[in-house]
Amino acid sequence: MTTIRQRRVGKGTEADDDQPSEEKNLKPDGKILSGHTGGKLWNILSITVGGIVAISLGLLTSVYVATLHENDLWFSNIKEVEREISFRTECGLYYSYYKQMIQAASIQQGLHGLVYDNKTESVRTINILERMNVYQEVFLSILYRILPIQQYLEPVYFYIYTLFGLQAVYVIALYVTSWLLSGTWLSGLLAACWYITNRIDTTRVEFTIPLRENWALPFFAVQIAAITYLLRTHLQPVQERLTLTAVFIATFLFSLTWQFNQFMMLIQALALFILDCFDMLPTAKVMWLYIIQISGLLLVCVLQFFNSMILGSLLISFNASVLIARTIQKNLKKGGLLNRLGKLILHVLLVLCLTLLINKFIKKILNLESDEHIFKFLKAKFGFGATRDFDANLYLCEEAFGLLPLNTFSRLSDTLLFYVYIFVLFFMTVAAVIIAFWNLSGSNQVQFMDKMEECTVALKPDAAYNLIHTILFGCLALSTMRMKYLWTSHMCVFASFGLCSTEVWKLTLKCIHLYTSQRMRVIKYFVPIMTLLYISYKFWPGIMDELSELREFYDPDTVELMNWIKSNTPNTAVFAGSMQLLAGVKLCTGRTLTNHPHYEDKNLRERTKQIYQIYAKRSPEDVYRILRSFGTDYVILEDSICYERRHSRGCRLRDLLDIANGHIMDGLGENEPDLKPSLYPRFCEEIKKNLPPYTIHFTRVFQNKTFHVYKLAKHK
């Protein structure tokens, strides 16, 4: 088991709405006063300073997380095998393809090895570029090979520094989004500071470096910044085209680097759909964003050798349905309140039905079942019936896929982020509800004009998009803890925008009858500055202590196992075991695997369930037959799984297998009435007794405190 031990030493770019118009700066003879020129110079200076601050904060964040990674593991001092083991679970699998490309005799040979891979899944040849999102590893390995840096930088450092460098892009994108929304770079500064001080809840890059989300989320943040700019009014045609290009590039890179891209962009498409239905966004721009999402995903589909899971995604079906429905219903935004509501309900039903029909048709034609485990998981998670499905329960029992823990909010509140976020969210939501009702009613009543004016100011299209975005991704985070990083980073943007926004403070002060232009300007800058001072005072000492704390990677049992495999087994040997461990086996030793953690394939899921019978109550003959059917030469048993205590009864891996096999679970507690006692003891426990039925098929060849390796007999 891997542990960490103490190291032993050996824009204010936009003018305020309340500022005097340009005409007031004219002399009677028509000449412009010098104050106008001074205002332009001030804007240029503000943009320059804001840009420098953004880049500086981005670079500082990269250095910060890189230093934390070094201090936690003493990465520069540990052996190569220890560095590779530190890339846990699926991280190690992804990094192994980068290593494979680096070690290949040529780039062409490396690519051929990925396209015709027979070491990731035994007795099968699979296309890694089709099955997994590893183009970033391919690109990085090619870049490392062609650049003259081999003498100065090890491949592993080139890899991790690239990921840490992307954190700079991430922070700059968050900074720019907040700046665009509020009109002042002070907002961006606050967003970046909140991102850093809430690091535990905003990123996990320092200890899960190769994880797909660490590649994808910076590009997602860039895409959100570009969409925010696109939704501004009065853009020139050239600006609009360039921004659409930026949105497309960011969408494409996001889609290319993460297998869950389609689900994230589906939520984004739902946000656009909701806003378009309530006439809060320009329809033409919304249609362009739908098309960009589809085209970006289809381009990734082509690069992934027409990956069927992408073609069968709900995103493509939904976006196509919206485009078709809008073509059919051209007068959706005309008429009175009841007329509009009726059309809107019909439109939603039409889009929903078309989405289901198109998706069902595509999956039927292509015979798709790759993502069925996700829908089984969602069905069970939200209470639509209990399930004994092994794959669904595997997700349900993982903490990362559970509800967001309540202590998350206490941590976010310590930095004042959560309090500010709720304050801004409340006022923006109220404004959104009022303006949505106004748009649907199409009323000309004078009594609504003042309220309409306030809400229009407080809810520009870019702010409206970010409001719905944060609400939908907040719901996702609350339901699934692993997805919180999509919400908490945007929470920093949204809260800082509200705290520095002229519109939000104007609306707030008008609601409590304290509004004056001067008071609003003072509060707009005073509150964010005081918040920054509070954050600096409270968290700077802790950050310094964190940076000075030195630890060391320590996992001697896994190191011993990997060294033994490399020294005592042939290169062609096939290993079976847990998904997480086998990813490390492939990276550290290059041996062939029976299964691995990339779970988006039905055949692999079934194979994994069969391999995991080593932890179930099965006869030695059954287990031997299953393992040999996958060409297994060695099987690795882990005490941490066989005698697991991390999960409660019913969620231990052995319990999930017992339920799936129809057997009664171990220990005190209730069982389903139709579960039966097994005829055999648990395999992983009984094999250690060296009884004849087991020694006929299995010979123990390695053992330490954590792992037991058995060699399978090769019977004729």
Side-chain angles (χ1 to χ4, degrees), residues 31-47:
K31 294 182 180 179
I32 299 175
L33 292 172
S34 60
H36 180 64
T37 304
K40 281 189 173 180
L41 290 174
W42 175 254
N43 283 344
I44 292 171
L45 178 63
S46 178
I47 291 172

Side-chain angles (χ1 to χ4, degrees), residues 103-166:
Q103 293 180 344
S106 65
I107 294 174
Q108 293 79 4
Q109 190 171 335
L111 289 171
H112 185 273
L114 293 180
V115 175
Y116 301 97
D117 181 277
N118 55 14
K119 296 184 75 68
T120 303
E121 294 178 18
S122 59
V123 302
R124 287 184 72 187
T125 297
I126 63 172
N127 185 343
I128 298 299
L129 295 181
E130 177 192 355
R131 284 273 296 276
M132 304 182 197
N133 298 70
V134 294
Y135 268 102
Q136 51 268 50
E137 276 75 21
V138 172
F139 173 75
L140 217 57
S141 63
I142 293 173
L143 201 61
Y144 182 81
R145 294 178 71 119
I146 63 177
L147 291 176
I149 58 175
Q150 288 88 345
Q151 296 180 352
Y152 315 103
L153 195 65
E154 296 177 61
V156 66
Y157 277 106
F158 184 65
Y159 186 91
I160 66 173
Y161 286 165
T162 300
L163 267 300
F164 293 144
L166 277 176

